[in-house]
Amino acid sequence: MSKPANPVTLPLADYSPKHFLLAVVDRVATVTLNRPERKNPLTFESYRELTDFFRACAMDDEVKTVVVSGAGGNFSSGGDVFEIIGPLIQMDTKGLTAFTRMTGDLVKAMRACPQPIVAAVEGICAGAGAIIAMASDLRLAATGAKVAFLFNKVGLAGCDMGACAILPRIIGQSRASELLYTGRFMTAEEGEKWGFFSRIVTAEQVLPQAQLLGKQIAEGPTFANTMTKRMLAMEWAMSVEEAIEAEAVAQALCMTTEDFNRAFEAFSNKRTPAFQGN
C-alpha cells in the first residue's frame, strides 16, 4: 500500500493528478475530489495520491495555501463502499493495519503541510470526507451541507484517522462524542454554531469564498503563517507555560524575517505591506 499511485512532480502548478483535479491560481492550489457520480468517494489510490500531494506541498514555495473541494455539489461520501470496504472484509490483521495507517497518513500529511488548508464543504461530507474537512485548518460550508463521521454505522469505532484527537478540539468533547457515537449528520447550522465551520455561504459561493480566503492568506507573511500552523498543532501537547515559551522563540524567529521589516516600513510610510514570503 505504500507504492505511490502517481508520483508527484514539481512545480505543483504543472502536476497532473490521476485521482483528483488540481489548479494553482494566485498561489492558491485548489484540489477537487472528482467522482461526482458517486459523491466523490475515496479509493486506495486517491488516498495515496492525496497524501503524496500534501507532502509535496512542503517543497513548493510558490503554493501558499490549499483549498479542498468536491465536484458536482458534494464534498465526499468517504471511502468507496465497493472499492475499499468490500476488499477490507477479505484482509488479514496485517493488511488492515497497513490500510488504517495509510489513511491516517493523509491526515498526518495535511497537518504537516506548511500551507494553511481551507475546506469548501458542499452537500454530503461523510466518513473519510468528514475527516479531510476536519483535518483542514479552516472550513466554509454551503447552505445545506451535512457532515457525518459514519464509522459506527459500519460497525467501527469513531477513533478513525485522528477523529478522537482533533474533533473534540474543534467542537468540544460532548458534541464530538455525540457525533462519533451516533454517526448522525451535523447540519451546516450546527457546524457553524459549534465552531466547525467559520461561516455558511450559498452553494454557488462556497468555492469562490474559500479561494478568496486562501488568496487573502497567501498574500500574508508566509513564514509567519507557517509558524502559526506549526504552533497551533504543537501547543496541543504543551502546558500554558511551555506554550508561552515556545511562542516567544517562534515569534523571535519571525522578527528576523524580511517580511517583518517590510511591514514596519510600510506602516511607517502609511502603505499596505507587500509580503514576499522571506
Side-chain angles (χ1 to χ4, degrees):
M1 289 187 181
S2 60
K3 182 180 178 182
N6 181 32
V8 179
T9 56
L10 299 175
L12 292 173
D14 296 335
Y15 174 58
S16 298
K18 290 183 179 178
H19 303 287
F20 55 89
L21 301 178
L22 176 64
V24 180
V25 178
D26 292 330
R27 300 180 295 179
V28 178
T30 299
V31 170
T32 305
L33 305 177
N34 190 39
R35 298 178 66 196
E37 72 285 355
R38 301 276 296 278
K39 297 184 175 66
N40 307 315
L42 299 175
T43 65
F44 293 115
E45 292 77 15
S46 59
Y47 269 118
R48 284 193 292 260
E49 191 172 27
L50 284 166
T51 300
D52 291 343
F53 165 78
F54 282 110
R55 286 174 175 161
C57 284
M59 296 178 283
D60 193 334
D61 290 338
E62 294 305 309
V63 171
K64 304 299 184 183
T65 52
V66 179
V67 171
V68 184
S69 66
N74 292 290
F75 190 75
S76 173
S77 57
D80 190 291
V81 173
F82 298 103
E83 294 188 41
I84 288 186
I85 307 300
L88 291 180
I89 301 297
Q90 309 301 321
M91 290 185 187
D92 60 13
T93 301
K94 181 179 179 180
L96 291 169
T97 305
F99 168 73
T100 53
R101 284 176 174 156
M102 180 192 74
T103 60
D105 281 345
L106 172 55
V107 175
K108 290 179 183 179
M110 292 177 69
R111 302 313 307 144
C113 165
Q115 293 89 344
I117 303 169
V118 183
V121 179
E122 184 181 0
I124 298 298
C125 176
I131 294 289
I132 291 175
M134 176 196 76
S136 300
D137 297 284
L138 304 98
R139 291 157 293 275
L140 303 186
T143 304
K146 299 190 297 182
V147 180
F149 298 84
L150 293 173
F151 308 109
N152 80 323
K153 295 292 188 182
V154 294
L156 297 177
C159 56
D160 199 79
M161 300 172 69
C164 286
I166 300 174
L167 188 61
R169 289 179 166 92
I170 300 173
I171 65 173
Q173 187 80 11
S174 180
R175 289 164 176 162
S177 297
E178 179 185 342
L179 295 183
L180 296 176
Y181 280 128
T182 67
R184 76 165 179 84
F185 278 98
M186 171 177 63
T187 66
E189 290 75 18
E190 285 177 318
E192 183 185 35
K193 180 181 177 181
W194 294 354
F196 190 82
F197 292 119
S198 296
R199 59 181 178 270
I200 303 172
V201 298
T202 64
E204 294 77 18
Q205 283 296 307
V206 66
L207 180 56
Q209 286 293 313
Q211 291 171 325
L212 177 60
L213 180 56
K215 185 173 183 292
Q216 291 172 339
I217 296 171
E219 291 171 348
T222 303
F223 183 88
N225 284 343
T226 296
M227 188 66 78
T228 299
K229 179 167 180 172
R230 289 280 182 265
M231 298 310 293
L232 281 168
M234 290 172 58
E235 291 181 37
W236 285 359
M238 294 180 184
S239 67
V240 173
E241 290 75 13
E242 290 170 330
I244 292 171
E245 174 59 22
E247 290 190 3
V249 174
Q251 197 70 298
L253 286 173
C254 291
M255 290 174 182
T256 68
T257 63
E258 290 301 316
D259 274 345
F260 181 61
N261 289 333
R262 291 184 186 103
F264 174 73
E265 291 174 2
F267 179 81
S268 299
N269 293 284
K270 297 181 180 181
R271 292 184 287 102
T272 299
F275 294 117
Q276 297 180 27
N278 63 332

